[in-house]
Amino acid sequence: MMSLPIPAVTIGLLLASNIFMTFAWYGHLKYKAAPLFIVILASWGIAFFEYLLQVPANRIGYGHFSAAQLKTIQEVISLSVFAIFSWAYLGEKITWQHGIGFALICLGAWFVFHDWS
């Protein structure tokens, strides 16, 4: 049986987990009339599935990636998912300031992954 490479599995799980977490944290913003208690319970329910993916992603990826690299991958994925979510789901515009900020974060990620030795 052929298995997927560790980076592909790790990144795939992190991508899926971030989709769940983005909906858990921000999906309720379209439903301002919903009672806060219900929103919190729904968010916890959605976040449960995020944890089912995030924890294995880190467990599988650690060793191939350092902890700092795993966190960096997670943050870049998180911002990518959020940018798409805020545009497609919340109807917010993505501005040039967002683009520059994201580019700077990606530059930071490059520094984390660059081998200086």
Side-chain angles (χ1 to χ4, degrees):
M1 179 173 162
M2 187 176 124
S3 62
L4 294 173
I6 289 173
V9 172
T10 301
I11 291 168
L13 288 171
L14 288 173
L15 177 62
S17 75
N18 273 281
I19 292 169
F20 279 105
M21 203 60 187
T22 299
F23 274 96
W25 285 4
Y26 301 102
H28 62 88
L29 295 178
K30 286 182 82 169
Y31 306 98
K32 299 283 283 180
L36 186 57
F37 181 73
I38 298 299
V39 168
I40 291 169
L41 289 178
S43 293
W44 278 354
I46 296 167
F48 172 76
F49 295 100
E50 183 268 344
Y51 278 92
L52 288 178
L53 299 166
Q54 178 84 19
V55 172
N58 288 327
R59 175 73 59 102
I60 291 165
Y62 187 65
H64 183 85
F65 298 110
S66 70
Q69 289 173 326
L70 282 170
K71 184 61 179 171
T72 301
I73 293 167
Q74 191 277 329
E75 292 302 329
V76 169
I77 290 171
S78 177
L79 287 171
S80 300
V81 167
F82 182 77
I84 294 167
F85 173 87
S86 65
W87 168 75
Y89 186 77
L90 296 176
E92 296 185 0
K93 291 182 179 181
I94 298 176
T95 66
W96 66 268
Q97 296 99 318
H98 296 121
I100 290 175
F102 189 72
L104 290 171
I105 291 167
C106 288
L107 179 63
W110 179 81
F111 277 100
V112 170
F113 279 88
H114 189 75
D115 183 11
W116 297 97
S117 54

